Amino acid sequence: MTPRAGLDTDAVVATAAGLADAHGLDAVSLTRLARELGVRPPSLYAHVAGLPDLRARLAARGAAELADALRSAAAGRARGDALHAVAAAYRRYALAHPGTYQALQRAPDLEGGQAGAALVDVVLAVLRGYGLRGHRAIHGARAVRAALHGFVLLETREGFGLPLTVEESYRRLVAILDRGLSAA
Amino acid sequence: MTPRAGLDTDAVVATAAGLADAHGLDAVSLTRLARELGVRPPSLYAHVAGLPDLRARLAARGAAELADALRSAAAGRARGDALHAVAAAYRRYALAHPGTYQALQRAPDLEGGQAGAALVDVVLAVLRGYGLRGHRAIHGARAVRAALHGFVLLETREGFGLPLTVEESYRRLVAILDRGLSAA
DNA sequence: TCGATCCTCCTATAGTGATTAGGTTTTGTC
DNA sequence: GACAAAACCTAATCACTATAGGAGGATCGA
């Protein structure tokens, strides 16, 4: 008689991602998510282990998607070309999926998991184009991640109060990184 | 008879800051804060307007402290010297007050308030030493803030899985910024 | 010193969200 | 069709935010 929603973990996480991107990560409560899915809150426990687990899955999903986007952007390019493409893809993803990106932030060690490592690998691959290996590559990767992450965060959170094109600021930041990596 | 805690808004916010720095921002609940202060949760409403207000005050307090620290670091220095000093002070503050720094992040528009503007001003002052004014200074300030913010965030949140000195990575990041700003 | 008043803190209470326990019905398989 | 697994539900608990309204200590003028 009852239609049954026919959920599984992926569907739950996907809906949560939509909710997060549309209304912010804080809007993702089990109660609201359940309502969205036409189900009672306790039913969600059949698919996720609880709110922390849901958030972790959201982050893992986002890291995987982001890594994919970066990989695609880097494909077939090198050096500054690759760096600009990867940077653009990074920002594009974060702006298109603000809630998911937010979830990515709050993932403490989980970022250090599978998908997180994939993210680092893409950056390292780009740096190899600059001739950077070993220690130097790692320092470079940290710098690149920090810069992109920080910029996107400031943009999405605080919004850069001043009326000056954000695109241009980003382009210049990436140019600075390019110059710095070339010199290193 | 009753000893009375003798609280005021500053004391409440200060204790909240201690709690946040010691156990993370999420540990700062009115219930726990009240327990910490030897008081019942409703009593806190005499000093702060609620949890959002408390968080906002935490952020404002942090922004003011951070701006002070940066101003001190910049005093009497110029260019790369000033940049390195400010960057070091920035990271030092964030590491010493992780919970407060976390609160700073979550403050949406409040960062754009008094204390937030002071923060930007310090960076702009440093950039003036590089001969940057107007648009170029703003782009530069965004780059610097993004890089420092992003680095500190990655360090405190995810911890840079790899076993390679974080200090050295930071130093190199700042060096990249220095080079980039000099060229701009 | 006496008292009016303010302010701090309290109890009581409501409401929301996460989570667990334990049962019931649908779905898939033989 | 019957059995087993799994999806969902109701009921209940607990932690936390928040409001309402009251009691008592502190302060200041007389």
Side-chain angles (χ1 to χ4, degrees):
Chain A
M1 211 41 132
T2 318
R4 293 255 149 161
L7 297 180
D8 61 11
T9 301
D10 281 344
V12 169
V13 176
T15 302
L19 206 51
D21 290 336
H23 300 92
L25 185 57
D26 291 331
V28 180
S29 68
L30 292 181
T31 300
R32 180 153 183 191
L33 180 55
R35 189 167 28 216
E36 204 84 10
L37 290 165
V39 150
R40 302 294 180 151
S43 303
L44 296 177
Y45 284 81
H47 307 292
V48 296
L51 191 57
D53 178 54
L54 175 64
R55 294 220 179 101
R57 287 174 189 275
L58 220 45
R61 186 190 137 100
E65 281 183 350
L66 178 55
D68 274 354
L70 298 191
R71 228 188 321 269
S72 297
R77 299 180 214 266
R79 295 188 63 108
D81 216 24
L83 184 64
H84 276 279
V86 165
Y90 191 98
R91 178 163 171 258
R92 202 179 311 124
Y93 182 87
L95 295 183
H97 305 278
T100 302
Y101 192 76
Q102 208 176 340
L104 248 166
Q105 273 189 259
R106 298 207 197 162
D109 34 70
L110 301 153
E111 243 274 48
Q114 309 273 329
L119 253 168
V120 174
D121 284 346
V122 177
V123 177
L124 285 177
V126 170
L127 295 188
R128 220 165 299 137
Y130 283 88
L132 298 179
R133 316 278 150 123
H135 283 197
R136 288 218 299 241
I138 295 179
H139 289 306
R142 287 176 176 173
V144 170
R145 288 183 64 206
L148 304 190
H149 184 54
F151 190 95
V152 164
L153 237 51
L154 289 182
E155 181 179 4
T156 55
R157 295 310 192 109
E158 304 165 22
F160 291 126
L162 301 167
L164 183 60
T165 156
V166 176
E167 277 73 19
E168 177 63 14
S169 291
Y170 195 61
R171 215 181 49 69
R172 293 194 188 196
L173 172 62
V174 177
I176 288 176
L177 290 176
D178 179 38
R179 246 194 314 271
L181 294 174
S182 298
Chain B
M1 216 31 135
T2 318
R4 294 253 148 165
L7 297 180
D8 61 10
T9 301
D10 281 344
V12 169
V13 176
T15 303
L19 206 52
D21 290 337
H23 300 92
L25 184 57
D26 291 330
V28 180
S29 67
L30 294 181
T31 300
R32 180 154 183 190
L33 179 55
R35 188 166 26 206
E36 205 82 11
L37 290 165
V39 150
R40 302 294 179 152
S43 304
L44 296 177
Y45 284 82
H47 307 291
V48 296
L51 192 57
D53 179 54
L54 175 64
R55 293 221 180 101
R57 287 174 189 276
L58 220 46
R61 183 190 139 101
E65 283 183 349
L66 178 55
D68 275 353
L70 298 191
R71 231 187 320 271
S72 297
R77 297 180 214 266
R79 294 191 62 111
D81 217 23
L83 184 64
H84 275 280
V86 165
Y90 191 97
R91 176 162 173 259
R92 202 180 311 121
Y93 182 86
L95 295 183
H97 306 278
T100 302
Y101 192 75
Q102 208 176 341
L104 247 166
Q105 273 189 259
R106 296 208 200 161
D109 34 71
L110 301 153
E111 242 272 50
Q114 309 272 329
L119 253 168
V120 174
D121 284 345
V122 178
V123 176
L124 285 177
V126 171
L127 295 188
R128 220 166 299 137
Y130 283 89
L132 299 178
R133 316 276 149 125
H135 282 198
R136 287 217 300 239
I138 296 178
H139 289 305
R142 287 176 176 176
V144 170
R145 287 184 65 208
L148 303 191
H149 182 55
F151 190 95
V152 164
L153 238 51
L154 289 182
E155 181 178 4
T156 56
R157 295 315 190 104
E158 305 165 21
F160 290 126
L162 301 167
L164 183 58
T165 156
V166 176
E167 278 72 20
E168 176 64 13
S169 292
Y170 194 61
R171 214 182 50 68
R172 294 195 187 196
L173 171 62
V174 177
I176 288 176
L177 290 176
D178 179 39
R179 244 194 315 270
L181 294 174
S182 298

